[in-house]
């Protein structure tokens, strides 16, 4: 059972059904229910922050596995006030996780799988690629502290849920045609040269195509011990590498380069942090323990394929 998020849910539900599973997917609206039905799933209309509603929906579904994909990012991205933009998503990662964990236990679910994020939460200690054993950032930028606390909550609560086996999947930066870094808003900024490489562009990103993230989630239904897994491609890359490549892929001019001080004035601390300081993530644990590998091993081929399909 999962509440679909536009990027991952539309890939995950069909993959689960293709693998022979019956899927009950939560949604907040009749429109979302229609989308679930069209994908072959059974909708359950409920808000992820409605505790009794979640308990009742899971009890009715009697799922073998509960998958937590709930997010609530809507409207124009607010990079300057990141935690304000992620406020409801952070509630879903804290209270929503608690409700689903309790519901999964009461329903006798075998596994609880929850979404987290690979990349910016890593501690920026000078190493460019991190594993699941490495610590998270002890001192994130001011406007990311609430979001990192919510991620910590997911990663602490789910593996310790008791009853169901808890797995946390840290998706890299998701992308597909029309979503993530390939969303119209992002591509427009790149075309207008308003998405610059800041300073040395040393911030390392790990990407994953949404279909690959979904396939890892399907693999986690029956594989892997409880714990945390990075779900990313094989090619972590600095912003100074992937951003000019993306511009070239979509036929835009190369991005401008600006110093950090100017980036802070124009866009705020968070974008500067993301483009200059973050570390990428290794997928070796997921490859080994989930027997999973991404179809698109690099964002290079993934970006190109997404633009064509």
């Amino acid at each position: 059972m999962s509440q679909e998020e536009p990027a991952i849910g539309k890939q995950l539900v069909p993959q689960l059904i293709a693998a022979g599973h019956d899927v009950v997917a939560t949604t907040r609206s009749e429109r979302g229910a229609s989308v679930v039905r069209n994908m072959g799933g059974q909708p359950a209309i409920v808000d992820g922050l409605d505790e009794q509603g979640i308990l009742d929906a899971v009890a009715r579904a009697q799922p073998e596995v509960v998958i937590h994909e709930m997010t609530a990012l809507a409207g124009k991205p607010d990079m300057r006030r990141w935690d304000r933009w992620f406020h409801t998503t952070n509630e879903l990662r804290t209270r929503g996780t608690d409700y689903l964990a309790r519901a999964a236990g009461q329903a006798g679910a075998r596994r609880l799988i929850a979404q987290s994020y690979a990349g910016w939460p890593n501690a920026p200690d000078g190493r460019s690629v991190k594993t699941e054993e490495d610590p998270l950032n002890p001192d994130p930028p001011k406007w990311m502290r609430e979001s990192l606390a919510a991620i910590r909550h997911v990663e602490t609560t789910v593996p310790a849920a008791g009853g169901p086996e808890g797995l946390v999947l840290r998706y890299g930066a998701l992308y597909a045609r029309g979503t993530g870094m390939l969303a119209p808003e992002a591509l427009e900024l790149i075309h207008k040269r308003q998405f610059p490489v800041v300073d040395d562009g040393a911030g390392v990103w790990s990407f994953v195509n949404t279909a690959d993230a979904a396939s890892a989630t399907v693999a986690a239904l029956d594989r892997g011990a409880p714990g945390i897994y990075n779900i990313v491609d094989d090619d972590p890359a600095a912003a100074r590498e992937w951003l000019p490549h993306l511009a070239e892929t979509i036929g835009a001019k190369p991005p401008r380069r600006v110093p950090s001080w100017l980036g802070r004035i124009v866009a705020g601390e968070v974008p500067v942090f993301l483009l200059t300081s973050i570390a990428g993530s290794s997928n070796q644990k997921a490859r080994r323990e989930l027997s999973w590998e991404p179809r698109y091993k690099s964002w290079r081929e993934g970006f190109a394929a997404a633009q064509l399909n």
Side-chain angles (χ1 to χ4, degrees), residues 118-134:
W120 71 260
N122 290 328
D125 60 5
R127 289 188 298 130
S128 62
V129 180
K130 304 298 187 71
T131 72
E132 294 85 349
E133 301 301 317
D134 289 307

Side-chain angles (χ1 to χ4, degrees), residues 62-90:
Q62 285 295 296
E64 182 182 357
V65 177
V66 172
I67 304 175
H68 180 4
E69 299 282 3
M70 295 187 291
T71 62
L73 295 178
K76 184 178 179 180
D78 188 352
M79 302 295 287
R80 191 177 288 274
R81 298 289 187 268
W82 182 277
D83 281 341
R84 183 165 63 188
W85 182 33
F86 272 82
H87 178 73
T88 304
T89 292
N90 291 335

Side-chain angles (χ1 to χ4, degrees), residues 126-188:
R127 289 188 298 130
S128 62
V129 180
K130 304 298 187 71
T131 72
E132 294 85 349
E133 301 301 317
D134 289 307
L136 298 181
N137 192 348
D139 187 27
K142 174 183 176 181
W143 281 102
M144 301 182 95
R145 291 173 187 169
E146 178 186 301
S147 298
L148 185 56
I151 284 172
R152 288 185 185 277
H153 185 85
V154 172
E155 296 192 356
T156 301
T157 301
V158 172
E165 299 173 329
L167 284 76
V168 175
L169 305 184
R170 290 176 174 170
Y171 300 143
L174 293 166
Y175 70 89
R177 184 177 179 86
T179 63
M181 198 50 63
L182 301 181
E185 299 85 356
L187 298 184
E188 181 181 6

